[in-house]
Amino acid sequence: MTVLTRIEEQGCGCGTADQPGDLISIDEAVAQILRNAGHVRESEEVALAGARGRTLAEPIAAIAAAPPFDNAAMDGFALNTACLVGPGPWRLPVVTRIPAGQRGSEPLPMGAAAQIFTGALMPDGADAVVMQENVRRTENTIIVSHEILAGAHVRRKGEDMAAGDMVVPAGRTLTGRDIAACAAAGRATVCVRRRLRVALVVTGDEVNSPGRTLSSGGIWDVNTPMLSALIPAPEIELVDVLGFRDNRAALRQQLSALADEVDLIVTTGGISVGEEDHVKPALSDLGLDMVFSGVAIKPGKPVSYGRLGQAHWLGLPGNPLSAFVTWQLFGTVLCQSLAGNSASSPDRRHVVLSQELRHSYGRCEVRLAEISGFDSTGREIVRFDKTTHSGRVARLPAADGVILIPSEVEVLPEGALVEFQPFRD
């Protein structure tokens, strides 16, 4: 029996364990995807406001300084601190008024003040702003009762970014934060990678569309609606969703056509070794370049990846939980890499087990888990299922992600650290 209280390895920790047959580890499968995926080459210019979630093809540099001039950070009064000599209070005449957006004003005379508003251009001769709350005003005079330091409440030209500064690097999937920085850099449009074109092919004689009367021996089709919801994203276009009976010739014909039209073909089912598993044979007939076939993982062992001409192929298992988990582990990484996202590695972190965990030696297991709080040192605690069933999805809504249990582990005590990978919905 193996007992571990801490898992320090980079990755899921099963990369060096003996794997059954020709199966590879989760981390090796991810590495092979990243080595083989590349990214789409074409790009397009899009409006900045509509660029969230798109992958930047060219870096963003500031067109001009931001802010473009010295300006007031507060509503108040601009003055020259050199005039505040001797013991206070100091009485200063207010000689002008400067709202935001005004082109400029006459230089401020020494010993005078200008009423100024947030964002307004600082007048020549002024080096600080005193907040309006900190003065007493009587008609056209203010009384300053405490010392003001030079530069107080002044935003200096270029303090946020100078002209030519690199603001957002290429390869980044744009967030609202990035868009804010691009706007401050003066950009109205950005150059992004074109959207990834993906086709989904769901196989199986037994699957029936939800809502329809089940056929004899039929089951509801979970994979089509599930993956049709998971795959599309701002940088991903789901161009086709097809359902096929278990027929090798029909699959071969359709997969051949799709390989000329899309960047990625995602299939579910038909990739095991049974007589009715026709996806791999159909792809083999077409000359598939297989990168890997099977991963030492529970659930999802049959998951496979390869190249068919210029298109990529990801074969997911047919059982719904297996399809969901393998899409999260491998499909999201593949799509990010193909879309040109420079941060395409899995997003994992260590968490603390809420209870003892037991696991069968042999394959790395991914088990549904939910974040349930924090321990006394601030580490996240996860609750998790005691077993994994590849066809059950009722627990998915409550799960935040999966814990990755290394293949060589049989028991982990309560409080042990394991890796956790959150879901991307």
Side-chain angles (χ1 to χ4, degrees), residues 11-365:
C12 72
C14 63
T16 58
D18 293 334
Q19 306 297 353
D22 296 328
L23 301 180
I24 63 174
S25 71
I26 294 174
D27 292 335
E28 178 56 27
V30 170
Q32 290 194 25
I33 287 172
L34 294 176
R35 282 197 297 269
N36 285 274
H39 58 76
V40 296
R41 299 293 178 182
E42 301 85 358
S43 59
E44 59 182 342
E45 201 81 11
V46 299
L48 182 61
R52 182 175 178 271
R54 301 295 298 273
T55 302
L56 201 58
E58 296 177 359
I60 299 298
I63 294 173
F69 48 79
D70 291 355
N71 68 89
M74 298 282 184
D75 289 348
F77 297 89
L79 52 81
N80 190 321
T81 56
C83 72
L84 305 179
V85 296
W90 301 273
R91 187 182 297 271
L92 304 175
V94 179
V95 298
T96 190
R97 183 177 184 274
I98 312 173
Q102 184 171 303
R103 289 192 172 187
S105 61
E106 296 295 323
L108 185 67
M110 179 63 75
Q115 185 179 14
I116 196 166
F117 297 87
T118 303
L121 175 70
M122 288 289 290
D124 290 340
D127 66 356
V129 172
V130 57
M131 290 190 293
Q132 61 184 16
E133 301 94 321
N134 293 338
V135 303
R136 273 193 305 121
R137 184 171 186 179
T138 57
E139 296 185 354
N140 292 325
T141 301
I142 61 169
I143 298 173
V144 181
S145 59
H146 64 279
E147 184 180 3
I148 306 298
L149 298 178
H153 305 304
V154 177
R155 300 182 183 127
R156 295 297 184 190
K157 176 182 178 179
E159 70 175 26
D160 189 12
M161 57 186 77
D165 278 356
M166 192 64 62
V167 178
V168 185
R172 186 172 176 88
T173 297
L174 294 170
T175 64
R177 304 184 302 277
D178 300 314
I179 288 170
C182 292
R187 298 296 296 265
T189 63
V190 289
C191 183
V192 296
R193 301 282 179 196
R194 70 154 170 83
R195 298 183 74 192
L196 195 66
R197 295 189 291 268
V198 180
L200 172 62
V201 177
V202 176
T203 67
D205 289 343
E206 73 280 15
V207 294
N208 289 235
S209 297
R212 294 186 178 180
T213 302
L214 285 174
S215 60
S216 176
I219 58 172
W220 298 129
D221 177 9
V222 174
N223 289 336
T224 297
M226 177 181 73
L227 290 167
S228 294
L230 283 172
I231 293 174
E235 75 277 23
I236 302 170
E237 180 184 7
L238 184 59
V239 298
D240 220 339
V241 179
L242 302 168
F244 271 90
R245 298 297 181 187
D246 294 321
N247 182 289
R248 179 169 173 172
L251 276 170
R252 181 171 60 240
Q253 181 179 0
Q254 188 60 61
L255 292 170
S256 176
L258 288 174
D260 295 327
E261 300 170 0
V262 300
D263 304 297
L264 171 63
I265 303 169
V266 178
T267 63
T268 70
I271 57 171
S272 193
V273 293
E275 290 183 4
E276 294 300 319
D277 292 310
H278 298 297
V279 173
K280 281 183 180 176
L283 288 166
S284 179
D285 293 345
L286 297 170
L288 176 78
D289 180 11
M290 186 73 77
V291 176
F292 63 78
S293 179
V295 175
I297 180 178
K298 177 185 177 181
K301 181 178 71 171
V303 62
S304 303
Y305 166 63
R307 297 284 301 270
L308 183 60
Q310 296 301 308
H312 297 256
W313 166 69
L314 180 65
L316 306 179
N319 282 316
L321 184 62
S322 297
F324 183 91
V325 166
T326 50
W327 173 259
Q328 292 286 338
L329 294 179
F330 308 117
T332 56
V333 169
L334 176 56
C335 284
Q336 285 185 319
S337 183
L338 290 173
N341 185 348
S342 58
S344 52
S345 296
D347 177 21
R348 297 181 191 161
R349 61 185 186 266
H350 282 94
V351 295
V352 177
L353 296 180
S354 64
Q355 64 199 62
E356 182 184 76
L357 180 151
R358 292 185 174 272
H359 164 250
S360 298
Y361 182 91
R363 275 187 284 160
C364 179
E365 183 178 347

Side-chain angles (χ1 to χ4, degrees), residues 1-4 7 351-360 365-369 382-388 402-406 409-419:
M1 178 180 292
T2 302
V3 177
L4 299 180
I7 301 170
V351 295
V352 177
L353 296 180
S354 64
Q355 64 199 62
E356 182 184 76
L357 180 151
R358 292 185 174 272
H359 164 250
S360 298
E365 183 178 347
V366 291
R367 199 173 290 181
L368 296 179
V382 290
R383 291 198 296 260
F384 53 92
D385 291 350
K386 292 184 178 181
T387 57
T388 298
V402 292
I403 53 174
L404 287 81
I405 308 167
V409 166
E410 293 184 13
V411 177
L412 286 173
E414 177 184 346
L417 288 176
V418 295
E419 280 197 306

